[in-house]
Amino acid sequence: MMGPRQEAQPALFYEFSLEDHVPQDHLLRSIDRFVDLTDVRAYLADFYSHTGRPSVDPELLIRMLLVGYCFGIRSERRLCEEVHLNLAYRWFCRLDLSDRVPDHSTFSKNRHGRFRDSELLRHLFEMTVARCIEEGLVSGQRMAIDASLIEADANKQNSTAKEDWDAGQIDPADAPRAVREYLDTLDEAAFGAASEVQPKFTSHSDPASQWTAARKGPAFFSYSDNYLIDTDHGVIVDVEATRSIRQAEVGSTKTMLERVKDKFELHPERLIADTAYGTGPMLGWLVDRKIAPHIPVFDKSGRTDGTWTRADFEWDAANDQYICPEGHELKQFRRNYSDPNRGPTGKGTARYRALKEVCQACPSRARCCPNADARKITREEHEDARQVARDIAKTKQYVISMKLRKKVEMLFAHLKRILGLNRLRLRGPCGANDEFLLAATAQNLRKLAKILPALQQPRKA
């Protein structure tokens, strides 16, 4: 028998509780236990006027942003609509059914103003890291570093070739916000000062973004999202936005390691990374700070013609010389020279030479220097640190570290596939930094919720 037609019967009074209608196993219930924003108002107190109309509660804005980044809601307009309709989102944002959701423009005004001036989003991210440390998810013994390209909100059609670009013609007073940020970062190691090489194209709407073809496909404008994680549970302990070039990404490692040491007193015993971070200066910096570099050495000394490479020569540190496989000495200095060209090259390398008459009479000359009168070898300034990394690469711990490094790549996959951060919405270095901080905060909160879920309470009868 077909039942009667269902028709809405409006009632004069409703007894309704959001608490009863949010499922006990909802992700936001677990996340809510780790979101403590009680100090946000005090933290922002100096950035609000003591007179005028009351503003939107900053805690409400932060909670709405967390909802958006935790569930991959990229548009703030859509975020306001979802919070208006979704009961769980209202519950998390402390909004009752009759409470009005803020307008989407409120986010822009606060983000470009007091949120950035106070570095609130950095403060929020560090609060989640501190909570992860408190819950025992971070030991600080083993850390991994990597970077991922995130497409910028820019395209080639609105760009200029490097020979036609002149930043000196820009009037900062009349320039858009992203252009002003670009001019402010020209001397920063993470952006303008990372490399003297000019990009092939420069975007008009976001000139700080990097034109790159690093994915071996069509080139695009991008920023690099740099993660420093603790490998125990894959918690992100620091994040940094840089240009999408190797020098900037490697340089951010020093910034993040020093920052977590100052902020959380975390000093890893080992750092895990890929070959891009295995340069001599980077390895030397790590070894000087007693951090074991579990990093493949970035080495171009190998030869493809079958002759002996530098690795075939034995280093004699006590006498500052190399010993060739035939037992002959390669020295840097055999007497005092007034010619500076016979000394260090000035590029952080030293040259070691064998005697010409020795090489000419050597039976292994065809395997050593068939096209030269004598064998020459260059030694980098940080070659000792490079050797430390080579020795570590022969251990079992290194094999384990290479497996742990995949945790960083998994976080980037989660960032793009689950949270939907394939392309930035905000422009400029500050916009990229804001998005990366919020996304990393959301990932840490989801990690806490997954490892330490909320206790299930029985439903009321």
Side-chain angles (χ1 to χ4, degrees), residues 308 324 326 328 356-366 368-369:
W308 287 334
C324 78
E326 291 290 344
H328 304 304
K356 179 179 178 181
E357 54 269 22
V358 172
C359 287
Q360 293 291 334
C362 181
S364 300
R365 181 188 175 191
C368 182
C369 53

Side-chain angles (χ1 to χ4, degrees), residues 137-196:
L137 304 186
V138 176
S139 67
Q141 295 180 352
R142 298 176 299 189
M143 292 187 182
I145 183 78
D146 204 354
S148 182
L149 300 181
I150 306 295
E151 188 175 353
D153 186 22
N155 57 67
K156 182 181 178 181
Q157 284 69 31
N158 187 26
S159 64
T160 300
K162 62 180 180 180
E163 57 268 15
D164 300 328
W165 178 262
D166 185 5
Q169 296 179 352
I170 300 176
D171 184 3
D174 300 330
R177 181 183 293 107
V179 177
R180 295 200 301 270
E181 293 178 7
Y182 162 70
L183 296 175
D184 292 339
T185 58
L186 287 177
D187 296 328
E188 292 186 9
F191 290 96
S195 173
E196 296 181 356

